[in-house]
Amino acid sequence: MLQGKKILITGGTGSLGTALTHRLLKENVGVVRIYSRDEWKQTQMQEKIRDKRLRFLIGDVRDKDRLSRAMEGIDVVFHTAALKHVPVAEYNPFEAIKTNVIGTQNVIESCLDNEVKMALAIGTDKAVSPLNTYGATKLLMERMFTAANFYKGAHKTDFLCVRYGNVLGSRGSVAPKFIEQIQKDGKITITDPRMTRFNITMKQALDLIFRAIKNGKDGEVFIPKLKAYTVDELKNAIIEIIGKKIQVQKIPVRPGEKFHETLINKDEIAYTFESKDDYIIRSPGVETLSDVKSRNLKKVKFTEPYSSDKVELINKQELKDIILKEKLL
């Protein structure tokens, strides 16, 4: 599928970008270009992954000229670059717009200018009925990518997205935050133990990305079928693994924080199909009956939003097994 291809990853030194790089190198790709603005992270990554197929390019998605030059000769682009932390975007909205929205426009136009064959953007649950600035900018990112299929004219680039919540164990997600708090202060801060979150591991996220690349069509958004957990159950699982009494401190809900995660809202259900592993939102006007049949897609049967409080919950023992398997502790 990607054998021999030339790949570029925006934001390639992040948690997902690093994991994706490892996976791509196993797929025998031709070249992987890491495009990011942090020279220290690039230096660290270069020392850890020694492979002659890797190229490291300093640059920002805000800089279209530099981005376009980096895409010369590229076949596939993975767009992972973003300002991702909810409070950061909430207090720096103009900066979030420059990176997440204008940066995405630069990615799209650079892909078209360089005749890239396929571009895939990494979305988030927070883009669904957004409550905060980060979610609003990621909603625009996703809409721009799906709309690019109408904007591109005679260019051949296919634009698609994947959408999921925080990867368990990724920087900024709740599990490593709890672990860091315990190791530093011997206590956990928690907003509301009844909050729920979808559970997705890095392997599941990468599998989703590769399914989308293999099976996706213009303008589609791939969303994985997932289970969820309560924040309280995650806290209990981590404490039991550590094996000592931990103080729990209640704190206010952060600005823009949702009680439950939603991956498909009520209005999107009409355009949502499903395969064995994923839900697929198709742009209005492009869903054809013959295409749906040839891919064995079925209209979804649910009528309520696909949210983390309406799916099967993972119990404490299952969470402990996942945490240990993912080597978070």
Side-chain angles (χ1 to χ4, degrees):
M1 179 175 59
L2 292 173
Q3 188 172 0
K5 301 293 186 184
K6 293 182 179 180
I7 314 293
L8 181 136
I9 308 173
T10 68
T13 55
S15 300
L16 176 63
T18 302
L20 181 57
T21 298
H22 281 288
R23 180 77 169 261
L24 287 168
L25 293 173
K26 291 179 182 177
E27 295 284 325
N28 293 321
V29 297
V31 170
V32 178
R33 293 180 191 164
I34 304 298
Y35 184 86
S36 69
R37 61 185 182 180
D38 192 322
E39 62 176 323
W40 174 240
K41 288 181 182 177
Q42 285 198 11
T43 301
Q44 287 182 308
M45 188 174 175
Q46 194 168 8
E47 290 176 353
K48 291 178 181 177
I49 311 176
R50 296 184 179 275
D51 193 299
K52 62 183 181 180
R53 292 169 292 171
L54 270 181
R55 303 286 185 275
F56 290 89
L57 305 176
I58 294 291
D60 196 316
V61 290
R62 300 181 184 189
D63 184 345
K64 184 184 173 184
D65 289 339
R66 173 60 172 152
L67 183 62
S68 186
R69 178 62 61 89
M71 283 193 198
E72 287 182 359
I74 288 295
D75 298 304
V76 180
V77 169
F78 294 97
H79 180 36
T80 79
L83 290 182
K84 299 181 176 72
H85 292 272
V86 170
V88 172
E90 209 64 22
Y91 290 105
N92 301 274
F94 296 164
E95 299 306 308
I97 289 167
K98 288 175 185 175
T99 297
N100 298 356
V101 180
I102 297 173
T104 296
Q105 180 181 352
N106 290 339
V107 169
I108 290 168
E109 292 183 345
S110 296
C111 284
L112 296 177
D113 291 344
N114 287 281
E115 298 295 346
V116 171
K117 294 180 177 63
M118 181 174 286
L120 182 141
I122 308 301
T124 171
D125 62 284
K126 295 171 185 66
V128 182
S129 305
L131 179 65
N132 50 57
T133 303
Y134 169 63
T137 61
K138 292 293 279 187
L139 171 62
L140 277 171
M141 180 218 75
E142 190 177 287
R143 291 291 184 270
M144 290 166 73
F145 246 69
T146 54
N149 294 286
F150 303 107
Y151 171 78
K152 66 186 182 182
H155 296 282
K156 303 300 182 184
T157 310
D158 290 338
F159 293 93
L160 4 131
C161 297
V162 295
R163 181 195 291 173
Y164 53 82
N166 284 337
V167 174
L168 191 72
S170 65
R171 286 198 301 266
S173 61
V174 65
K177 182 180 178 182
F178 281 168
I179 294 166
E180 182 182 353
Q181 287 180 332
I182 292 170
Q183 292 171 341
K184 184 179 179 181
D185 303 318
K187 67 178 182 181
I188 285 176
T189 59
I190 192 168
T191 51
D192 193 311
R194 298 168 297 168
M195 283 183 171
T196 60
R197 295 291 180 261
F198 281 109
N199 180 68
I200 184 168
T201 64
M202 186 61 78
K203 181 182 183 303
Q204 288 175 309
L206 294 176
D207 288 345
L208 169 68
I209 288 168
F210 275 76
R211 287 196 301 272
I213 287 290
K214 181 180 179 181
N215 303 315
K217 303 288 185 181
D218 287 359
E220 292 183 337
V221 181
F222 276 65
I223 299 157
K225 296 179 179 180
L226 299 171
K227 297 180 182 180
Y229 58 81
T230 64
V231 172
D232 190 51
E233 203 75 304
L234 178 66
K235 173 207 67 174
N236 293 336
I238 291 172
I239 289 174
E240 283 197 12
I241 292 172
I242 290 174
K244 62 181 180 180
K245 191 174 180 180
I246 303 295
Q247 180 186 350
V248 178
Q249 179 184 346
K250 188 88 181 316
I251 60 172
V253 175
R254 297 183 306 171
E257 187 174 21
K258 288 187 176 182
F259 205 87
H260 304 295
E261 292 180 343
T262 303
L263 283 172
I264 302 173
N265 67 28
K266 196 173 183 68
D267 295 314
E268 292 175 316
I269 293 172
Y271 309 108
T272 304
F273 295 77
E274 65 177 308
S275 62
K276 177 185 174 183
D277 300 302
D278 306 305
Y279 298 114
I280 303 170
I281 300 176
R282 313 194 71 203
S283 296
V286 301
E287 62 274 10
T288 61
L289 186 61
S290 60
D291 182 40
V292 168
K293 285 184 176 180
S294 67
R295 297 166 68 190
N296 293 317
L297 301 181
K298 299 178 181 178
K299 265 284 194 179
V300 295
K301 294 181 180 179
F302 55 80
T303 57
E304 293 300 314
Y306 174 40
S307 61
S308 56
D309 61 326
K310 299 184 185 300
V311 299
E312 182 181 347
L313 291 176
I314 303 171
N315 62 40
K316 182 172 61 179
Q317 185 56 52
E318 289 174 310
L319 278 169
K320 287 168 66 176
D321 292 342
I322 293 169
I323 289 167
L324 294 171
K325 184 178 179 181
E326 294 297 308
K327 299 179 181 179
L328 302 186
L329 272 170

